[in-house]
């Protein structure tokens, strides 16, 4: 008898979270303090990046943050970009800085990531934050993995002692998600298997059906099929792929890495694409910006410990 999965509604959850942030920001500004301020740097004119950044800026406005979008031409040199980042690092009125990826080939993304001050690194990509996250110390957590765990928590999905299969090992999604799922606390305490490009296809087919929770972040539409999912598993699809679709005005449709229709008949919970992990990532970016603001204003509970760790 096929199960019909419950939808993990990232769109609704992210709206709930944004409303919580908005209420907190309103209290802050009513007390006479300035609003949190996020700066986004966008290099070049990649259409997907423009749309992501626009969405982030709109969300800032919704919750009552100040926001600055700094556009730079794709011909900007690495040093010029780093100089801009340093300028925002030194600006006490800026709480969070993001540099939208991907960057043109002549710019090394790691150099950019490492130049952002860890206390303003609201994407949670800086090696200092990655190290703190790995050790389960307070820090700015990477936004997408944080969004995935937040979803599991708000839907009361147990993770302790469960087998979590993570497909993909990127620095921004797969690897940090695998670490956060195996750490102590809730959500976490899972037994984690991580797979990647060199995991043979047959192995992937053998490992995935062992997962109570399967988290997929690869960028290959339809990679995960129904045979790879055990009945009742929780399936989180991070993938966002533009697939040609002449019936759409834009000429493309957004698809995940999971074959949604057949898998949703076997899984107990599943994220849609779009409307699943994507909106949660934006909500966590806002949450990190608020946290960065609170740390610099002595308002975060974890303030002292974090200060010690960051210095
Ligand atoms: P990425 O940096 O390209 O990483 C893809 C990962 O998948 C790599 O670790 C790669 O392995 C692995 N991989 C490739 N083929 C595989 C296979 N057959 N089996 C298992 N693993 C395989 O991509 P990313 O930044 O993690 O993004 C992944 C997808 O998620 C993309 O579609 C992206 O657009 C989307 N995304 C969505 C959000 C969101 O908010 N929803 C956020 C970020 C990314 P190697 O390491 O061996 O190359």
């Amino acid at each position: 008898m096929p199960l019909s999965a419950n939808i993990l509604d990232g769109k609704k959850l992210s709206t709930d979270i944004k409303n919580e942030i908005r209420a907190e920001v309103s209290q802050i500004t009513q007390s006479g303090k300035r609003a949190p301020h996020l700066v986004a740097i966008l290099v070049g004119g990649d259409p997907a990046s423009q749309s992501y950044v626009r969405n982030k800026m709109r969300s800032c406005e919704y919750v009552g943050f100040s926001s600055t979008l700094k556009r730079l031409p794709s011909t900007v040199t690495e040093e010029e970009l780093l100089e801009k980042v340093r300028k925002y690092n030194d600006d006490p009125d800026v709480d969070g800085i993001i540099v939208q990826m991907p960057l043109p080939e002549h710019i090394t993304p790691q150099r950019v990531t490492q130049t952002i001050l860890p206390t303003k690194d609201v994407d949670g990509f800086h090696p200092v934050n990655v190290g703190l996250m790995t050790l389960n110390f307070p820090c700015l957590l990477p936004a997408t993995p944080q969004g995935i765990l937040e979803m599991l928590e708000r839907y009361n999905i147990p993770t302790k002692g469960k087998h979590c299969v993570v497909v993909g090992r990127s620095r921004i999604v797969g690897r940090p998600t695998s670490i956060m799922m195996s750490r102590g606390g809730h959500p976490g305490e899972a037994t984690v298997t991580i797979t990647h490009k060199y995991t043979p296809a047959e192995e992937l087919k053998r490992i995935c059906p062992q997962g109570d929770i399967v988290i997929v972040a690869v960028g290959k539409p339809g990679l995960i099929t129904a045979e790879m999912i055990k009945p009742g598993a929780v399936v989180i699809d991070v993938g966002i792929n533009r697939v040609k679709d002449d019936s759409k005005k834009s000429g493309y449709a957004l698809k995940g890495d999971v074959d949604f229709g057949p898998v949703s008949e076997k899984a107990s919970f599943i994220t849609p694409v779009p409307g699943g992990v994507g909106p949660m990532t934006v909500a966590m970016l806002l949450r990190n910006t608020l946290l960065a603001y609170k740390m610099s204003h002595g308002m975060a509970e974890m303030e002292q410990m974090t200060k010690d760790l960051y210095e």
Side-chain angles (χ1 to χ4, degrees):
M1 188 51 190
L3 291 167
S4 187
N6 295 294
I7 297 293
L8 294 168
D9 188 346
K11 202 161 175 219
K12 184 194 169 294
L13 272 193
S14 74
T15 305
D16 294 347
I17 294 165
K18 282 196 252 182
N19 284 335
E20 291 161 20
I21 294 173
R22 185 179 154 122
E24 216 173 324
V25 172
S26 163
Q27 276 187 357
I28 289 172
T29 50
Q30 274 170 28
S31 75
K33 295 194 177 82
R34 72 162 173 85
H37 181 190
L38 176 69
V39 171
I41 303 179
L42 177 61
V43 180
D46 174 60
S49 296
Q50 298 220 41
S51 142
Y52 292 145
V53 169
R54 237 190 342 261
N55 190 9
K56 289 168 187 174
M57 297 291 101
R58 262 202 303 264
S59 298
C60 280
E61 196 181 327
Y62 180 80
V63 298
F65 288 179
S66 311
S67 62
T68 302
L69 170 55
K70 182 71 196 164
R71 290 175 183 275
L72 296 172
S74 55
T75 50
V76 71
T77 65
E78 183 172 283
E79 196 41 47
E80 284 166 342
L81 172 58
L82 297 182
E83 206 35 60
K84 279 276 174 282
V85 171
R86 289 186 201 108
K87 188 188 108 188
Y88 291 124
N89 280 345
D90 292 341
D91 185 341
D93 287 336
V94 170
D95 305 292
I97 304 167
I98 55 170
V99 179
Q100 185 65 43
M101 304 285 171
L103 290 166
E105 281 197 350
H106 64 276
I107 298 174
T108 313
Q110 287 88 331
R111 283 205 70 200
V112 177
T113 301
Q114 288 178 34
T115 302
I116 297 174
L117 212 57
T119 46
K120 296 191 180 190
D121 164 43
V122 289
D123 267 330
F125 296 162
H126 192 286
V128 166
N129 282 318
V130 176
L132 294 172
M133 177 272 290
T134 304
L135 297 169
N136 211 354
F137 287 159
C139 63
L140 295 168
L141 291 167
T144 301
Q146 190 185 165
I148 294 169
L149 270 75
E150 184 76 19
M151 213 174 212
L152 295 172
E153 184 172 8
R154 292 201 182 214
Y155 275 90
N156 294 314
I157 293 171
T159 58
K160 191 174 185 173
K162 301 291 178 189
H163 187 179
C164 175
V165 175
V166 179
V167 186
R169 61 171 172 185
S170 69
R171 278 183 298 117
I172 64 167
V173 192
R175 193 185 306 274
T177 300
S178 72
I179 295 167
M180 287 168 69
M181 288 299 288
S182 67
R183 297 189 318 178
H186 177 73
E189 316 276 21
T191 304
V192 175
T193 303
I194 182 160
T195 68
H196 46 77
K197 196 165 60 190
Y198 299 106
T199 307
E202 286 314 310
E203 265 300 273
L204 192 66
K205 284 189 181 143
R206 188 183 66 78
I207 293 167
C208 285
Q210 297 171 23
D212 302 303
I213 301 168
V214 179
I215 302 173
V216 192
V218 172
K220 289 195 177 157
L223 175 72
I224 303 299
T225 57
E227 312 82 76
M228 297 163 85
I229 297 299
K230 87 168 159 193
V234 175
V235 179
I236 309 280
D237 189 356
V238 184
I240 303 177
N241 305 289
R242 286 183 174 209
V243 178
K244 191 172 168 347
D245 184 342
D246 293 332
S247 71
K248 303 264 180 206
K249 212 170 117 198
S250 59
Y252 67 86
L254 290 183
K255 297 264 180 233
D257 291 342
V258 173
D259 191 7
F260 183 84
V263 171
S264 65
E265 290 183 4
K266 269 181 112 177
S268 58
F269 287 91
I270 189 166
T271 55
V273 177
V277 177
M280 293 301 289
T281 298
V282 178
M284 294 303 108
L285 176 70
L286 298 173
R287 179 192 274 178
N288 275 352
T289 305
L290 179 58
L291 182 57
Y293 171 92
K294 285 159 90 175
M295 287 193 295
S296 70
H297 286 72
M299 293 162 71
E301 275 172 35
M302 63 186 214
E303 192 228 353
Q304 191 50 51
M305 183 172 177
T306 314
K307 231 173 152 221
D308 294 346
L309 289 167
Y310 279 125
E311 275 165 7

